[in-house]
Amino acid sequence: MKQPRVAYLSVEFGAHPDWPIYAGGLGVLAGDILKTASDLHYPLIGLGLFYHNGYFTQIIEDGKQREEYPYYHPRDFGMTEVYKGEFTLGDETVHYIVWRAMVGRVPLYLIDSELHENTPEWKTTTYKLYTADRPERIRQEILLGIGGAQFLREVYPGYDVWHLNEGHSAFSGLALLREFLIAGMDWEEALQRVRRHLVFTTHTPVPAGNEVFDVSLAERYLRKWWEESGQPWDKVLDLASVQTEGGLSMTVIAIRLAGLTNAVSKKHGEVSRNMWKHIFDVPRADDVPIFHITNGVHVPTWAGDQMREIMSDVGGEGWETEVDNIDFWSSVILRKNHIKLAKSLQKKRLLLYLRRMGVRWNEDDLIVGFARRVAPYKRADLIARDPDRLGKLLDQGLRIIYSGKAHPADAKGHEIIENLHATIERYGWQDKIVYVPNYNMDVASYLVGGVDLWLNNPIPPKEASGTSGQKIIYNAGLNISILDGWWIEGYDGMNGWGWEGTGDDRDAEALITLMEQAYLIYRKHKQFWWEMVEHSFLTLAPQFNTVRMFKEYIDKMYMKVKTI
Ligand SMILES: *Cc1c(COP(=O)(O)O)cnc(C)c1O
């Protein structure tokens, strides 16, 4: 069977470190998927929004986060204007342009509404990624969903599998449904047709993380537009399970309209089936039709220069598409000395980067990285709950790098950053723990390439998958992580450190105990450390990359959806 052509819709894309169109893990995954499709010559295009202010630039001032919003234009990044469109919502006309950026051989189309023809509110709609302003947020999702659907139907009619990365783009499904209804299909027929077009990936294991819009807000923009389909507005409210979700749930719309839905790790699959059982008429959570495809990372992006050199040397031309093959990694780990040298050079690069910020650390220090979105459940302070034990490790040569942004509207997140800085100051750890401001893909490259150990300790099961720890595998580092997300599938007792989450106090105790063990091995049993690194490569590398992942998307989603 011919490979179905796919349009991949996402509110964020971490395709290039400088493009201001991503915030974190969801975007990095989307960017990694585009690059993988390019490597595999798969017919896929990306569709998202261009944000003139990006997410934001993080300044840390007196230990506090401040946000800045520089102005960006697509032409600054060599993007080309390729399309101009408009659609009407009741008596309002919305204008937009579409920019094209290239990600390898894959085009990424970005919708932009900054046009003088637009009313002031629509003109500034595509300014801030993850705006906290609800009307602005629904306008963004309307642009992506309705504008995006229009663009795809007109310019890319052959790309008829639409992959919705998270629920933000679910209005594209409504737009398709409306189109089929206007064309004269009855409700069931139209619904079935839509389901043969859409696949959906859910990423959010916490109910609060799912996008829900107030019905009045949705009605204000969408009711008249929808009623042109000849179907009552109530149909949309039913589809979105307004009764049980307390508003218009984008996740529920996406699940209902997609022919296939997947979660992003095995554990997250279980969590999602439980979480959404109530919208399906099934007796058991196991019967909920949500399966999983575990996330991975694009190895050529996330392996540091020296590690990539080894991979390319071993695999030759086209090695990028061999990374799901265990034999490839068996050959890589034969280069023991090369790997040690590569790690040492990448660590030096990180140390030099830190040196430019005034930090002076040594190559034989054990460097731990903790970098991610700052949110309470990620528990950035867990390792410092016992300052005596952490203090001892720091005195001996353990070093910690923190990095991460708090959402501008998240007061708790801001507080965490403040408290962390206060703790560092209180105990005089300024020389041993550093907070690198403005976490982004560039900062991440330095960190994942150079650190020895990557720490992750969220409250399970809130980490749907996580990918930052996967980047460590390909850089000859080790993971020390609570058993959640991808690590439940990856950890085997010998390829890093893991523990079951059982509550804050016990988790803090387990973590510092494991950290002491890791430190001892690093300091006194270096040979064993390297054996663990090799074992990490062999057991994890073939699995947690986007080649394995994307092939699963092809087989289990794209090939299947047209036949349901
Ligand atoms: C990889 C990456 C992420 C994802 O990190 P998780 O810890 O898996 O959430 C987020 N932000 C940036 C900049 C990244 O490179």
Side-chain angles (χ1 to χ4, degrees), residues 22-26 28 297 302 371-373 378 439-442 444-445 448 454 456 463 465-469 471:
Y22 71 95
L26 184 76
V28 170
V297 294
W302 295 109
R372 50 187 50 86
R373 199 157 52 80
K378 306 259 192 184
Y439 187 46
N440 59 24
M441 289 170 69
D442 270 333
S445 293
V448 299
W454 193 254
N456 193 19
E463 188 90 305
S465 165
T467 54
S468 56
K471 299 167 189 166

Side-chain angles (χ1 to χ4, degrees), residues 19 98 121 159 180 254 294 329 344 362 364 451 486 520 525:
W19 297 350
V98 181
E121 65 165 22
Y159 281 61
F180 294 157
T294 304
W329 295 106
S344 147
N362 298 309
D364 68 336
V451 300
W486 76 279
L520 191 71
H525 307 280

